[in-house]
């Protein structure tokens, strides 16, 4: 048996023993998801928030996962996309035109 086949077999055996539940997903993959988020955001607190959103989305979409043995790459793909969304939201929120006048806040 080749090394690739052994890895696939191990992954299949892993999911056969433990059914996909929200608790199992968090227990097994939270550190990988958080690590990816930290690598993308460079901010621990934002990464924790994104990680929570990743798992909430995964819990609501778990029925769409065709291969339970592919839960880790599936979660990491969700995390990557959410990190991209995070960067898009941040860049649009922080972009303020330089020629925009400052408001005095007194109802000009």
């Amino acid at each position: 048996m080749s090394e690739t086949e052994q890895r696939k077999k191990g992954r299949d055996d892993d999911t056969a023993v433990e059914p996909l539940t929200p608790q199992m997903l968090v227990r097994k993959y939270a550190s990988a998801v958080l690590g990816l988020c930290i690598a993308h955001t460079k901010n621990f607190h934002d990464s924790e928030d994104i990680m929570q959103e990743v798992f909430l989305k995964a819990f609501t979409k778990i029925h769409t996962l065709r291969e339970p043995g592919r839960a880790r790459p599936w979660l990491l793909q969700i995390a990557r996309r959410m990190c991209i969304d995070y960067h898009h939201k941040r860049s649009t929120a922080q972009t303020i035109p330089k020629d925009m006048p400052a408001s005095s806040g007194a109802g000009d």
Side-chain angles (χ1 to χ4, degrees), residues 6-46:
Q6 288 175 346
R7 272 192 242 132
K8 283 183 181 178
K9 185 176 189 277
R11 185 171 52 218
D12 292 341
D13 290 347
D14 193 28
T15 56
V17 173
E18 192 171 13
L20 280 181
T21 63
Q23 295 83 3
M24 184 277 296
L25 289 176
V26 172
R27 187 177 64 252
K28 285 182 91 171
Y29 306 117
S31 62
V33 171
L34 183 61
L36 184 136
C37 293
I38 290 170
H40 279 273
T41 65
K42 310 288 191 255
N43 183 304
F44 182 76
H45 297 291
D46 289 344

Side-chain angles (χ1 to χ4, degrees), residues 58-101:
F59 299 159
T60 61
K61 301 288 185 177
I62 199 165
H63 65 280
T64 66
L65 181 61
R66 293 183 206 139
E67 297 178 49
R70 305 274 306 148
R72 184 177 192 273
W74 178 67
L75 283 169
L76 294 178
Q77 184 63 37
I78 294 170
R80 274 186 214 94
R81 290 183 179 151
M82 289 200 158
C83 287
I84 290 168
D85 290 345
Y86 163 85
H87 285 295
H88 284 273
K89 288 176 187 173
R90 259 192 101 168
S91 65
T92 57
Q94 291 180 352
T95 305
I96 300 173
K98 293 183 184 214
D99 60 343
M100 177 182 257

